């Protein structure tokens, strides 16, 4: 079956530090890949996505590149802000008929001023 | 569009009582997902509907849990009888079937506390 593995948290950074959250996946076919963000007390919202190999998704200074050869979709940001503190989830949707949405375990990010 | 609407936002109930959580997906979306989120287990997929038909309910914890989607604009998740270990935030999400890269949209969640 499909699975998503994220780096363990929590992650604590100082403002303006560089962020990487690793994500690797296992899936049949050619999945679409997503990063979702969850702010305290809220639901998940889409941060960025990529639908095919070598695509780069970007939003709000965050980027992730779909790497088929390494089955990875690592999230990066060059300079984090306190407002980026949240839980980040890597996810995929399989290309088969099931179209299930599979999530990683989430990574808690705290950015200190 | 108002997005995915869940009700209630918060529910506190006593052990043994029946609890019903409600979800209104975004109009036109074909897929609907119910998730449970806890500190210990993270985000778990409970059940997935496509065109109102349950496709995968392997994540439903036990027979006390049941989900229905009587039409394209409404779904319920019922727990009967409820237990303290069911305390969690329950999310509903919907997704259109318009293409490979279309994302799922989440509701604000229902925070359930069983005492």
């Amino acid at each position: 079956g499909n699975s998503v593995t994220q780096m363990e948290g929590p992650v604590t950074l100082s403002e303006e530090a560089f962020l990487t959250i690793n994500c690797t996946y296992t899936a049949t076919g050619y999945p679409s890949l997503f990063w979702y963000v969850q702010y305290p007390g809220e639901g998940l919202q889409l941060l960025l996505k990529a639908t095919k190999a070598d695509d780069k998704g970007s939003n709000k200074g965050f980027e992730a590149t779909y790497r088929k050869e390494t089955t990875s979709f690592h999230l990066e940001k060059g300079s984090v802000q306190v407002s980026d503190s949240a839980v980040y989830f890597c996810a995929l949707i399989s290309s088969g008929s099931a179209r299930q949405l599979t999530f990683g375990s989430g990574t808690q990010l705290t950015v200190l001023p | 569009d108002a997005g995915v609407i869940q009700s209630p936002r918060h529910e506190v109930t006593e052990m043994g009582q029946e609890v019903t959580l409600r979800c209104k997906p975004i109009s036109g979306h074909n897929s609907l997902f119910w998730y449970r989120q806890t500190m210990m287990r993270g985000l778990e997929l409970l059940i997935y509907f496509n065109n109102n038909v349950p496709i995968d309910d392997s994540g439903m914890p036990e027979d006390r849990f049941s989900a229905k989607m009587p039409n394209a604009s409404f779904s319920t998740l019922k727990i009967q009888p409820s237990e303290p270990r069911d305390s969690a935030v329950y999310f509903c999400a919907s997704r259109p079937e318009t293409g490979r890269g279309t994302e799922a949209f989440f509701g604000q969640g229902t925070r359930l506390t069983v005492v």
Side-chain angles (χ1 to χ4, degrees), chain A residues 30-32 34 36 38 41-44 46 49 51-52 89 93 95 97-101 103, chain B residues 9 33 35 37 42-43 45 48 55-56 91 95 97 99-108:
Chain A
Y30 301 93
S32 296
F34 306 85
Y36 280 81
Q38 183 181 29
E42 297 185 10
L44 280 72
L46 180 72
K49 66 181 180 182
T51 60
K52 60 183 187 299
F89 292 89
I93 287 181
S95 57
S97 59
R99 300 272 183 172
Q100 285 201 15
L101 180 58
F103 281 90
Chain B
R9 287 295 309 276
F33 307 83
Y35 289 89
Q37 186 177 38
L43 197 62
L45 176 65
Y48 157 50
I55 301 301
D56 184 357
F91 287 104
R95 177 179 181 263
E97 285 290 324
R100 296 182 65 247
T102 47
E103 68 270 23
F105 295 79
F106 280 74
Q108 293 284 73

Side-chain angles (χ1 to χ4, degrees), chain A residues 7-110:
Chain A
M7 66 183 284
E8 293 282 331
V11 174
T12 302
L13 296 174
S14 297
E15 205 164 23
E16 299 184 3
F18 183 84
L19 169 71
T20 299
I21 300 178
N22 290 339
C23 171
T24 57
Y25 66 90
T26 302
T28 55
Y30 301 93
S32 296
L33 303 175
F34 306 85
W35 276 100
Y36 280 81
V37 59
Q38 183 181 29
Y39 298 103
E42 297 185 10
L44 280 72
Q45 53 187 275
L46 180 72
L47 179 60
L48 53 84
K49 66 181 180 182
T51 60
K52 60 183 187 299
D54 300 325
D55 266 3
K56 177 186 283 188
S58 61
N59 185 27
K60 300 181 180 180
F62 290 89
E63 292 183 339
T65 301
Y66 190 145
R67 301 287 188 199
K68 195 171 189 304
E69 64 276 15
T70 54
T71 61
S72 65
F73 193 54
H74 305 321
L75 182 68
E76 296 183 337
K77 187 173 185 182
S79 176
V80 294
Q81 305 300 313
V82 173
S83 56
D84 294 327
S85 298
V87 181
Y88 292 82
F89 292 89
C90 186
L92 68 83
I93 287 181
S94 58
S95 57
S97 59
R99 300 272 183 172
Q100 285 201 15
L101 180 58
T102 303
F103 281 90
S105 57
T107 302
Q108 171 77 55
L109 170 67
T110 302

